[in-house]
mmCIF file of all heavy atoms in Angstrom:
data_model
loop_
_atom_site.group_PDB
_atom_site.id
_atom_site.type_symbol
_atom_site.label_atom_id
_atom_site.label_comp_id
_atom_site.label_asym_id
_atom_site.label_seq_id
_atom_site.Cartn_x
_atom_site.Cartn_y
_atom_site.Cartn_z
ATOM 1 N N GLN A 46 -61.682 -170.901 137.347
ATOM 2 C CA GLN A 46 -61.479 -170.197 138.598
ATOM 3 C C GLN A 46 -62.317 -168.974 138.752
ATOM 4 O O GLN A 46 -62.047 -168.271 139.670
ATOM 5 C CB GLN A 46 -59.924 -169.865 138.621
ATOM 6 C CG GLN A 46 -59.008 -171.092 138.631
ATOM 7 C CD GLN A 46 -59.312 -172.051 139.712
ATOM 8 O OE1 GLN A 46 -59.599 -171.795 140.755
ATOM 9 N NE2 GLN A 46 -59.461 -173.350 139.244
ATOM 10 N N ASP A 47 -63.198 -168.774 137.771
ATOM 11 C CA ASP A 47 -64.078 -167.676 137.794
ATOM 12 C C ASP A 47 -63.334 -166.318 137.937
ATOM 13 O O ASP A 47 -63.727 -165.395 138.548
ATOM 14 C CB ASP A 47 -65.040 -167.772 138.976
ATOM 15 C CG ASP A 47 -66.257 -166.974 138.873
ATOM 16 O OD1 ASP A 47 -66.590 -166.570 137.728
ATOM 17 O OD2 ASP A 47 -66.864 -166.609 139.824
ATOM 18 N N LEU A 48 -62.318 -166.209 137.103
ATOM 19 C CA LEU A 48 -61.536 -164.997 137.004
ATOM 20 C C LEU A 48 -62.230 -163.955 136.067
ATOM 21 O O LEU A 48 -62.632 -164.369 134.910
ATOM 22 C CB LEU A 48 -60.086 -165.163 136.604
ATOM 23 C CG LEU A 48 -59.264 -166.117 137.508
ATOM 24 C CD1 LEU A 48 -57.859 -166.297 136.974
ATOM 25 C CD2 LEU A 48 -59.157 -165.553 138.959
ATOM 26 N N VAL A 49 -62.218 -162.716 136.472
ATOM 27 C CA VAL A 49 -63.021 -161.750 135.759
ATOM 28 C C VAL A 49 -62.418 -161.495 134.278
ATOM 29 O O VAL A 49 -63.054 -160.996 133.361
ATOM 30 C CB VAL A 49 -62.925 -160.314 136.543
ATOM 31 C CG1 VAL A 49 -61.530 -159.797 136.605
ATOM 32 C CG2 VAL A 49 -63.882 -159.290 135.842
ATOM 33 N N THR A 50 -61.163 -161.976 134.100
ATOM 34 C CA THR A 50 -60.474 -161.703 132.808
ATOM 35 C C THR A 50 -60.697 -162.883 131.829
ATOM 36 O O THR A 50 -60.151 -162.854 130.717
ATOM 37 C CB THR A 50 -59.021 -161.558 133.081
ATOM 38 O OG1 THR A 50 -58.468 -162.690 133.907
ATOM 39 C CG2 THR A 50 -58.704 -160.267 133.869
ATOM 40 N N ALA A 51 -61.401 -163.894 132.242
ATOM 41 C CA ALA A 51 -61.479 -165.155 131.456
ATOM 42 C C ALA A 51 -61.883 -164.931 130.003
ATOM 43 O O ALA A 51 -61.319 -165.529 129.060
ATOM 44 C CB ALA A 51 -62.447 -166.125 132.092
ATOM 45 N N GLU A 52 -62.859 -164.040 129.746
ATOM 46 C CA GLU A 52 -63.299 -163.804 128.354
ATOM 47 C C GLU A 52 -62.720 -162.542 127.799
ATOM 48 O O GLU A 52 -63.069 -162.098 126.674
ATOM 49 C CB GLU A 52 -64.783 -163.652 128.366
ATOM 50 C CG GLU A 52 -65.591 -164.920 128.832
ATOM 51 C CD GLU A 52 -65.406 -166.113 127.974
ATOM 52 O OE1 GLU A 52 -65.677 -165.840 126.701
ATOM 53 O OE2 GLU A 52 -65.058 -167.120 128.457
ATOM 54 N N LYS A 53 -61.810 -161.845 128.536
ATOM 55 C CA LYS A 53 -61.384 -160.492 128.081
ATOM 56 C C LYS A 53 -60.495 -160.620 126.725
ATOM 57 O O LYS A 53 -59.671 -161.564 126.629
ATOM 58 C CB LYS A 53 -60.445 -159.926 129.189
ATOM 59 C CG LYS A 53 -60.217 -158.492 128.938
ATOM 60 C CD LYS A 53 -59.618 -157.884 130.274
ATOM 61 C CE LYS A 53 -59.175 -156.474 130.007
ATOM 62 N NZ LYS A 53 -58.559 -155.822 131.273
ATOM 63 N N LYS A 54 -60.765 -159.704 125.856
ATOM 64 C CA LYS A 54 -60.008 -159.652 124.633
ATOM 65 C C LYS A 54 -58.566 -159.414 124.841
ATOM 66 O O LYS A 54 -58.256 -158.750 125.755
ATOM 67 C CB LYS A 54 -60.548 -158.616 123.667
ATOM 68 C CG LYS A 54 -61.675 -159.117 122.835
ATOM 69 C CD LYS A 54 -62.140 -158.267 121.653
ATOM 70 C CE LYS A 54 -61.376 -157.083 121.402
ATOM 71 N NZ LYS A 54 -62.245 -155.976 120.807
ATOM 72 N N ASP A 55 -57.741 -160.013 124.055
ATOM 73 C CA ASP A 55 -56.293 -159.732 124.103
ATOM 74 C C ASP A 55 -56.026 -158.167 123.758
ATOM 75 O O ASP A 55 -56.613 -157.684 122.851
ATOM 76 C CB ASP A 55 -55.464 -160.574 123.246
ATOM 77 C CG ASP A 55 -55.381 -162.011 123.731
ATOM 78 O OD1 ASP A 55 -55.903 -162.279 124.776
ATOM 79 O OD2 ASP A 55 -54.986 -162.876 122.877
ATOM 80 N N SER A 56 -55.125 -157.553 124.507
ATOM 81 C CA SER A 56 -54.784 -156.139 124.200
ATOM 82 C C SER A 56 -53.968 -156.008 122.983
ATOM 83 O O SER A 56 -53.193 -156.926 122.698
ATOM 84 C CB SER A 56 -54.082 -155.516 125.362
ATOM 85 O OG SER A 56 -52.805 -156.103 125.470
ATOM 86 N N GLN A 57 -54.334 -154.996 122.233
ATOM 87 C CA GLN A 57 -53.492 -154.760 120.978
ATOM 88 C C GLN A 57 -52.986 -153.376 121.199
ATOM 89 O O GLN A 57 -53.781 -152.511 121.283
ATOM 90 C CB GLN A 57 -54.467 -154.711 119.776
ATOM 91 C CG GLN A 57 -55.057 -156.111 119.488
ATOM 92 C CD GLN A 57 -54.144 -157.084 119.034
ATOM 93 O OE1 GLN A 57 -53.328 -156.796 118.139
ATOM 94 N NE2 GLN A 57 -54.333 -158.338 119.478
ATOM 95 N N GLY A 58 -51.726 -153.153 121.006
ATOM 96 C CA GLY A 58 -51.258 -151.819 121.163
ATOM 97 C C GLY A 58 -50.004 -151.710 121.831
ATOM 98 O O GLY A 58 -49.415 -152.752 122.289
ATOM 99 N N LEU A 59 -49.368 -150.530 121.947
ATOM 100 C CA LEU A 59 -48.129 -150.329 122.554
ATOM 101 C C LEU A 59 -48.146 -151.048 124.039
ATOM 102 O O LEU A 59 -49.161 -150.807 124.711
ATOM 103 C CB LEU A 59 -47.896 -148.908 122.799
ATOM 104 C CG LEU A 59 -47.424 -148.042 121.569
ATOM 105 C CD1 LEU A 59 -46.908 -146.738 121.960
ATOM 106 C CD2 LEU A 59 -46.396 -148.826 120.817
ATOM 107 N N CYS A 60 -47.127 -151.664 124.276
ATOM 108 C CA CYS A 60 -46.935 -152.361 125.598
ATOM 109 C C CYS A 60 -47.569 -151.607 126.734
ATOM 110 O O CYS A 60 -47.054 -150.539 127.148
ATOM 111 C CB CYS A 60 -45.486 -152.600 125.735
ATOM 112 S SG CYS A 60 -44.949 -153.099 127.336
ATOM 113 N N PHE A 61 -48.677 -152.069 127.192
ATOM 114 C CA PHE A 61 -49.294 -151.430 128.398
ATOM 115 C C PHE A 61 -49.942 -150.081 128.312
ATOM 116 O O PHE A 61 -50.175 -149.419 129.213
ATOM 117 C CB PHE A 61 -48.406 -151.416 129.662
ATOM 118 C CG PHE A 61 -48.259 -152.808 130.274
ATOM 119 C CD1 PHE A 61 -47.186 -153.723 130.044
ATOM 120 C CD2 PHE A 61 -49.250 -153.136 131.241
ATOM 121 C CE1 PHE A 61 -47.142 -154.909 130.717
ATOM 122 C CE2 PHE A 61 -49.205 -154.456 131.809
ATOM 123 C CZ PHE A 61 -48.117 -155.258 131.572
ATOM 124 N N ILE A 62 -49.895 -149.508 126.970
ATOM 125 C CA ILE A 62 -50.449 -148.200 126.904
ATOM 126 C C ILE A 62 -51.885 -148.291 126.261
ATOM 127 O O ILE A 62 -52.679 -147.578 126.564
ATOM 128 C CB ILE A 62 -49.587 -147.270 125.965
ATOM 129 C CG1 ILE A 62 -48.251 -147.050 126.595
ATOM 130 C CG2 ILE A 62 -50.270 -145.875 125.791
ATOM 131 C CD1 ILE A 62 -47.378 -146.146 125.778
ATOM 132 N N GLY A 63 -51.988 -149.231 125.422
ATOM 133 C CA GLY A 63 -53.283 -149.352 124.706
ATOM 134 C C GLY A 63 -53.057 -148.907 123.222
ATOM 135 O O GLY A 63 -51.912 -148.730 122.823
ATOM 136 N N LYS A 64 -54.124 -148.954 122.603
ATOM 137 C CA LYS A 64 -54.066 -148.540 121.083
ATOM 138 C C LYS A 64 -53.667 -147.110 120.952
ATOM 139 O O LYS A 64 -54.368 -146.283 121.563
ATOM 140 C CB LYS A 64 -55.415 -148.851 120.434
ATOM 141 C CG LYS A 64 -55.526 -150.279 120.108
ATOM 142 C CD LYS A 64 -56.535 -150.548 119.044
ATOM 143 C CE LYS A 64 -56.585 -152.012 118.504
ATOM 144 N NZ LYS A 64 -57.605 -152.241 117.543
ATOM 145 N N VAL A 65 -52.767 -146.868 120.107
ATOM 146 C CA VAL A 65 -52.294 -145.414 119.924
ATOM 147 C C VAL A 65 -52.414 -145.159 118.431
ATOM 148 O O VAL A 65 -52.196 -145.922 117.570
ATOM 149 C CB VAL A 65 -50.781 -145.360 120.304
ATOM 150 C CG1 VAL A 65 -50.183 -144.050 119.796
ATOM 151 C CG2 VAL A 65 -50.656 -145.464 121.874
ATOM 152 N N ARG A 66 -52.909 -143.936 118.216
ATOM 153 C CA ARG A 66 -53.001 -143.477 116.765
ATOM 154 C C ARG A 66 -51.598 -143.002 116.413
ATOM 155 O O ARG A 66 -51.204 -141.991 116.904
ATOM 156 C CB ARG A 66 -53.999 -142.311 116.627
ATOM 157 C CG ARG A 66 -55.458 -142.715 116.871
ATOM 158 C CD ARG A 66 -56.319 -141.521 116.525
ATOM 159 N NE ARG A 66 -57.609 -141.777 116.863
ATOM 160 C CZ ARG A 66 -58.189 -141.428 118.161
ATOM 161 N NH1 ARG A 66 -57.506 -140.881 118.986
ATOM 162 N NH2 ARG A 66 -59.520 -141.709 118.333
ATOM 163 N N LEU A 67 -50.950 -143.798 115.595
ATOM 164 C CA LEU A 67 -49.491 -143.538 115.346
ATOM 165 C C LEU A 67 -49.265 -142.082 114.734
ATOM 166 O O LEU A 67 -48.330 -141.356 115.338
ATOM 167 C CB LEU A 67 -48.847 -144.584 114.515
ATOM 168 C CG LEU A 67 -47.358 -144.730 114.694
ATOM 169 C CD1 LEU A 67 -47.004 -144.995 116.128
ATOM 170 C CD2 LEU A 67 -46.731 -145.854 113.822
ATOM 171 N N PRO A 68 -49.954 -141.692 113.728
ATOM 172 C CA PRO A 68 -49.598 -140.380 113.122
ATOM 173 C C PRO A 68 -49.792 -139.237 114.249
ATOM 174 O O PRO A 68 -48.922 -138.365 114.388
ATOM 175 C CB PRO A 68 -50.655 -140.222 111.969
ATOM 176 C CG PRO A 68 -51.048 -141.618 111.563
ATOM 177 C CD PRO A 68 -50.894 -142.386 112.893
ATOM 178 N N GLU A 69 -50.936 -139.313 115.003
ATOM 179 C CA GLU A 69 -51.149 -138.346 116.075
ATOM 180 C C GLU A 69 -50.004 -138.308 117.109
ATOM 181 O O GLU A 69 -49.599 -137.349 117.560
ATOM 182 C CB GLU A 69 -52.517 -138.491 116.696
ATOM 183 C CG GLU A 69 -53.650 -137.913 115.810
ATOM 184 C CD GLU A 69 -54.317 -139.065 115.114
ATOM 185 O OE1 GLU A 69 -53.557 -139.974 114.671
ATOM 186 O OE2 GLU A 69 -55.563 -139.031 114.926
ATOM 187 N N PHE A 70 -49.671 -139.561 117.419
ATOM 188 C CA PHE A 70 -48.623 -139.835 118.447
ATOM 189 C C PHE A 70 -47.376 -139.126 117.889
ATOM 190 O O PHE A 70 -46.731 -138.431 118.606
ATOM 191 C CB PHE A 70 -48.452 -141.368 118.648
ATOM 192 C CG PHE A 70 -47.216 -141.680 119.384
ATOM 193 C CD1 PHE A 70 -47.195 -141.519 120.773
ATOM 194 C CD2 PHE A 70 -46.119 -142.259 118.831
ATOM 195 C CE1 PHE A 70 -46.141 -141.881 121.491
ATOM 196 C CE2 PHE A 70 -45.001 -142.706 119.453
ATOM 197 C CZ PHE A 70 -45.015 -142.491 120.935
ATOM 198 N N LEU A 71 -46.918 -139.418 116.645
ATOM 199 C CA LEU A 71 -45.766 -138.872 116.158
ATOM 200 C C LEU A 71 -45.800 -137.359 115.876
ATOM 201 O O LEU A 71 -44.854 -136.653 116.069
ATOM 202 C CB LEU A 71 -45.366 -139.603 114.815
ATOM 203 C CG LEU A 71 -45.027 -141.064 114.947
ATOM 204 C CD1 LEU A 71 -44.899 -141.746 113.596
ATOM 205 C CD2 LEU A 71 -43.721 -141.327 115.757
ATOM 206 N N GLN A 72 -46.943 -136.884 115.613
ATOM 207 C CA GLN A 72 -47.093 -135.442 115.253
ATOM 208 C C GLN A 72 -46.926 -134.620 116.493
ATOM 209 O O GLN A 72 -46.709 -133.428 116.376
ATOM 210 C CB GLN A 72 -48.560 -135.137 114.682
ATOM 211 C CG GLN A 72 -48.545 -135.325 113.176
ATOM 212 C CD GLN A 72 -49.979 -135.379 112.576
ATOM 213 O OE1 GLN A 72 -50.946 -134.948 113.259
ATOM 214 N NE2 GLN A 72 -50.089 -135.858 111.485
ATOM 215 N N GLN A 73 -46.954 -135.156 117.691
ATOM 216 C CA GLN A 73 -46.719 -134.387 118.867
ATOM 217 C C GLN A 73 -45.233 -133.815 118.767
ATOM 218 O O GLN A 73 -44.957 -132.737 119.410
ATOM 219 C CB GLN A 73 -46.704 -135.310 120.096
ATOM 220 C CG GLN A 73 -48.114 -135.834 120.406
ATOM 221 C CD GLN A 73 -47.989 -136.591 121.784
ATOM 222 O OE1 GLN A 73 -46.985 -137.256 122.088
ATOM 223 N NE2 GLN A 73 -48.983 -136.352 122.629
ATOM 224 N N LYS A 74 -44.325 -134.543 118.341
ATOM 225 C CA LYS A 74 -42.940 -134.109 118.224
ATOM 226 C C LYS A 74 -42.451 -133.857 116.843
ATOM 227 O O LYS A 74 -41.672 -133.038 116.574
ATOM 228 C CB LYS A 74 -42.077 -135.083 118.909
ATOM 229 C CG LYS A 74 -41.894 -134.878 120.372
ATOM 230 C CD LYS A 74 -40.578 -135.168 120.779
ATOM 231 C CE LYS A 74 -40.256 -134.831 122.270
ATOM 232 N NZ LYS A 74 -39.170 -135.587 122.829
ATOM 233 N N LEU A 75 -42.919 -134.675 115.831
ATOM 234 C CA LEU A 75 -42.441 -134.632 114.573
ATOM 235 C C LEU A 75 -43.445 -133.838 113.718
ATOM 236 O O LEU A 75 -44.494 -134.284 113.475
ATOM 237 C CB LEU A 75 -42.248 -136.023 113.887
ATOM 238 C CG LEU A 75 -41.370 -137.017 114.821
ATOM 239 C CD1 LEU A 75 -41.284 -138.371 114.167
ATOM 240 C CD2 LEU A 75 -39.962 -136.402 115.058
ATOM 241 N N GLN A 76 -43.084 -132.644 113.338
ATOM 242 C CA GLN A 76 -44.042 -131.817 112.612
ATOM 243 C C GLN A 76 -44.340 -132.356 111.128
ATOM 244 O O GLN A 76 -43.391 -132.880 110.483
ATOM 245 C CB GLN A 76 -43.382 -130.376 112.401
ATOM 246 C CG GLN A 76 -43.169 -129.613 113.686
ATOM 247 C CD GLN A 76 -44.556 -129.566 114.533
ATOM 248 O OE1 GLN A 76 -45.509 -129.234 113.994
ATOM 249 N NE2 GLN A 76 -44.354 -129.965 115.803
ATOM 250 N N PRO A 77 -45.575 -132.184 110.692
ATOM 251 C CA PRO A 77 -45.923 -132.589 109.319
ATOM 252 C C PRO A 77 -45.080 -131.782 108.372
ATOM 253 O O PRO A 77 -44.793 -130.677 108.675
ATOM 254 C CB PRO A 77 -47.417 -132.207 109.245
ATOM 255 C CG PRO A 77 -47.917 -132.142 110.593
ATOM 256 C CD PRO A 77 -46.776 -131.760 111.475
ATOM 257 N N LYS A 78 -44.725 -132.419 107.269
ATOM 258 C CA LYS A 78 -43.872 -131.783 106.291
ATOM 259 C C LYS A 78 -44.233 -132.444 104.977
ATOM 260 O O LYS A 78 -43.930 -133.572 104.619
ATOM 261 C CB LYS A 78 -42.428 -132.054 106.624
ATOM 262 C CG LYS A 78 -41.462 -131.233 105.796
ATOM 263 C CD LYS A 78 -40.038 -131.156 106.531
ATOM 264 C CE LYS A 78 -39.147 -132.361 105.948
ATOM 265 N NZ LYS A 78 -37.790 -132.386 106.495
ATOM 266 N N GLU A 79 -44.846 -131.600 104.077
ATOM 267 C CA GLU A 79 -45.306 -132.181 102.789
ATOM 268 C C GLU A 79 -44.134 -132.601 101.860
ATOM 269 O O GLU A 79 -43.191 -131.915 101.784
ATOM 270 C CB GLU A 79 -46.143 -131.146 102.086
ATOM 271 C CG GLU A 79 -47.707 -131.611 102.130
ATOM 272 C CD GLU A 79 -48.547 -130.797 101.215
ATOM 273 O OE1 GLU A 79 -48.405 -131.092 99.977
ATOM 274 O OE2 GLU A 79 -49.295 -129.911 101.665
ATOM 275 N N GLY A 80 -44.359 -133.732 101.215
ATOM 276 C CA GLY A 80 -43.335 -134.195 100.249
ATOM 277 C C GLY A 80 -43.919 -134.943 99.186
ATOM 278 O O GLY A 80 -45.303 -135.232 99.232
ATOM 279 N N ASP A 81 -43.191 -135.544 98.230
ATOM 280 C CA ASP A 81 -43.668 -136.317 97.147
ATOM 281 C C ASP A 81 -43.687 -137.849 97.466
ATOM 282 O O ASP A 81 -42.847 -138.400 98.116
ATOM 283 C CB ASP A 81 -42.809 -136.041 95.876
ATOM 284 C CG ASP A 81 -42.897 -134.686 95.284
ATOM 285 O OD1 ASP A 81 -43.951 -134.067 95.588
ATOM 286 O OD2 ASP A 81 -41.950 -134.186 94.727
ATOM 287 N N ILE A 82 -44.665 -138.458 96.786
ATOM 288 C CA ILE A 82 -44.798 -139.926 96.724
ATOM 289 C C ILE A 82 -44.332 -140.307 95.376
ATOM 290 O O ILE A 82 -44.927 -139.811 94.344
ATOM 291 C CB ILE A 82 -46.126 -140.457 97.063
ATOM 292 C CG1 ILE A 82 -46.589 -140.045 98.444
ATOM 293 C CG2 ILE A 82 -46.180 -141.982 96.868
ATOM 294 C CD1 ILE A 82 -48.108 -140.423 98.749
ATOM 295 N N VAL A 83 -43.338 -141.064 95.113
ATOM 296 C CA VAL A 83 -42.773 -141.394 93.808
ATOM 297 C C VAL A 83 -42.961 -142.942 93.670
ATOM 298 O O VAL A 83 -42.615 -143.746 94.598
ATOM 299 C CB VAL A 83 -41.279 -141.036 93.785
ATOM 300 C CG1 VAL A 83 -40.639 -141.528 92.390
ATOM 301 C CG2 VAL A 83 -41.099 -139.514 93.856
ATOM 302 N N GLU A 84 -43.458 -143.328 92.465
ATOM 303 C CA GLU A 84 -43.613 -144.721 92.223
ATOM 304 C C GLU A 84 -42.388 -145.152 91.297
ATOM 305 O O GLU A 84 -42.098 -144.522 90.268
ATOM 306 C CB GLU A 84 -44.886 -144.971 91.412
ATOM 307 C CG GLU A 84 -45.054 -146.475 91.158
ATOM 308 C CD GLU A 84 -46.140 -146.765 90.174
ATOM 309 O OE1 GLU A 84 -47.163 -145.956 90.150
ATOM 310 O OE2 GLU A 84 -46.212 -147.856 89.459
ATOM 311 N N ILE A 85 -41.672 -146.269 91.772
ATOM 312 C CA ILE A 85 -40.521 -146.818 91.012
ATOM 313 C C ILE A 85 -41.135 -147.997 90.262
ATOM 314 O O ILE A 85 -41.711 -148.957 90.851
ATOM 315 C CB ILE A 85 -39.463 -147.210 91.941
ATOM 316 C CG1 ILE A 85 -39.003 -146.013 92.826
ATOM 317 C CG2 ILE A 85 -38.347 -147.865 91.248
ATOM 318 C CD1 ILE A 85 -38.250 -144.893 92.088
ATOM 319 N N PRO A 86 -40.908 -148.113 88.929
ATOM 320 C CA PRO A 86 -41.358 -149.248 88.186
ATOM 321 C C PRO A 86 -40.577 -150.503 88.455
ATOM 322 O O PRO A 86 -39.362 -150.459 88.761
ATOM 323 C CB PRO A 86 -41.219 -148.825 86.712
ATOM 324 C CG PRO A 86 -40.092 -147.694 86.777
ATOM 325 C CD PRO A 86 -40.280 -147.107 88.101
ATOM 326 N N ALA A 87 -41.190 -151.669 88.441
ATOM 327 C CA ALA A 87 -40.574 -152.995 88.652
ATOM 328 C C ALA A 87 -39.550 -153.305 87.721
ATOM 329 O O ALA A 87 -38.534 -154.082 87.956
ATOM 330 C CB ALA A 87 -41.526 -153.997 88.880
ATOM 331 N N SER A 88 -39.593 -152.586 86.566
ATOM 332 C CA SER A 88 -38.721 -152.830 85.446
ATOM 333 C C SER A 88 -37.329 -152.071 85.625
ATOM 334 O O SER A 88 -36.441 -152.226 84.670
ATOM 335 C CB SER A 88 -39.295 -152.479 84.066
ATOM 336 O OG SER A 88 -39.806 -151.149 84.167
ATOM 337 N N GLU A 89 -37.281 -151.237 86.602
ATOM 338 C CA GLU A 89 -36.000 -150.443 86.795
ATOM 339 C C GLU A 89 -34.782 -151.285 86.752
ATOM 340 O O GLU A 89 -34.844 -152.436 87.418
ATOM 341 C CB GLU A 89 -36.169 -149.714 88.258
ATOM 342 C CG GLU A 89 -34.959 -148.963 88.657
ATOM 343 C CD GLU A 89 -34.574 -147.774 87.778
ATOM 344 O OE1 GLU A 89 -35.480 -147.171 87.150
ATOM 345 O OE2 GLU A 89 -33.406 -147.503 87.664
#
């Protein structure tokens, strides 16, 4: 049908917004707060 969208890539991202950088998106409201990363052994 010669539609302009025939070869267009599928959109990836938030519904109708586009690709969003999640950390930056969340940082708008949720302030960075340093904390620990702890590894739990599988033998626990």
Side-chain angles (χ1 to χ4, degrees):
Q46 298 309 314
D47 198 22
L48 299 178
V49 65
T50 52
E52 299 293 314
K53 192 168 174 180
K54 274 193 2 211
D55 290 349
S56 69
Q57 298 286 320
L59 284 193
C60 170
F61 279 99
I62 295 183
K64 280 201 172 175
V65 168
R66 294 188 185 89
L67 205 58
E69 283 96 323
F70 171 73
L71 294 173
Q72 273 168 16
Q73 293 186 320
K74 271 214 173 163
L75 309 179
Q76 295 305 311
K78 191 165 93 179
E79 253 194 74
D81 289 339
I82 300 174
V83 174
E84 184 192 331
I85 302 289
S88 56
E89 174 63 32

